[in-house]
Amino acid sequence: IEQLKEWFEYDSITGKVHGLHFGRGKKRKLLNRVNQDGYYSANKTIDGKQLSILIHRVAYELYNNELLGSNIIDHVDHNKLNNKIYNLRKVDRATNNRNLGLKKKNKYNCNNIEKTSSGKYRARITICGQRIHLGTFAELQDAIEAKKKANEKYGFHENHK
């Protein structure tokens, strides 16, 4: 933690992280580079090795004065660039998977619903790697309702689609 405090400064209200001693001039610098996964990140050379550091992890660690280890930081509102402290929560992988946004190819505003060859709608949910069939429905709205009830039953976050 002490090393992080020497390298970074975090404003929990704005969610902004500044790097201290970054760049050629070793100045205070707003860290706002977005990586290929859509998160703010920064590169830091440590012991001759170039490391990519995820800014939301730094923000959480500085604010809470604890290192995360293998835990994950979940952006509750699904906005990967919103690093305000109220939007960051420490979770394990299983919990993080219970707050996933819509997949890009989604057609029905609800994940794990698909149209079958018979024209009906199949709803599923995945729990601990196991896919559970929730039913096949004539109406899309019935499939969505079954998925919402299953999300609630199995403790998925309210933002999970």
Side-chain angles (χ1 to χ4, degrees):
I1 289 293
E2 295 310 312
Q3 188 76 65
L4 285 177
K5 290 177 182 177
E6 289 178 26
W7 292 341
F8 302 101
E9 185 177 273
Y10 173 58
D11 182 332
S12 61
I13 296 169
T14 65
K16 305 280 186 220
V17 174
H18 286 85
L20 308 175
H21 318 294
F22 268 66
R24 293 182 189 190
K26 304 290 184 191
K27 302 178 212 169
R28 182 177 184 268
K29 175 184 173 188
L30 176 63
L31 302 176
N32 60 359
R33 181 178 65 91
V34 178
N35 70 11
Q36 70 273 11
D37 296 321
Y39 295 100
Y40 287 130
S41 68
N43 292 330
K44 185 78 175 157
T45 304
I46 302 169
D47 297 329
K49 294 180 183 176
Q50 182 88 353
L51 298 177
S52 180
I53 299 169
L54 294 170
I55 298 305
H56 60 282
R57 289 181 66 87
V58 169
Y60 185 91
E61 289 172 335
L62 286 174
Y63 185 83
N64 291 288
N65 205 33
E66 69 170 302
L67 294 176
L68 290 166
S70 64
N71 286 301
I72 295 169
I73 294 301
D74 179 36
H75 287 85
V76 176
D77 70 358
H78 301 286
N79 178 353
K80 296 176 181 181
L81 302 178
N82 179 0
N83 291 327
K84 295 175 183 169
I85 198 60
Y86 69 81
N87 191 48
L88 304 176
R89 66 180 183 146
K90 178 175 73 170
V91 296
D92 59 21
R93 184 163 306 284
T95 303
N96 192 48
N97 288 339
R98 292 182 172 175
N99 185 24
L100 296 176
L102 283 176
K103 295 174 184 162
K104 290 183 180 178
K105 294 189 223 177
N106 186 282
K107 296 178 185 174
Y108 306 115
N109 200 31
C110 189
N111 287 328
N112 293 318
I113 292 183
E114 59 189 14
K115 196 169 192 176
T116 66
S117 59
S118 68
K120 294 184 178 183
Y121 299 90
R122 177 184 302 128
R124 299 178 183 171
I125 193 167
T126 304
I127 307 293
C128 299
Q130 294 286 78
R131 190 179 271 186
I132 299 170
H133 178 72
L134 301 174
T136 303
F137 305 88
E139 299 295 325
L140 172 61
Q141 195 54 45
D142 293 336
I144 291 172
E145 194 59 37
K147 179 69 179 3
K148 285 181 181 177
K149 285 180 182 176
N151 282 351
E152 192 174 309
K153 176 182 177 181
Y154 291 106
F156 281 69
H157 193 277
E158 64 188 39
N159 290 344
H160 182 82
K161 296 287 183 175

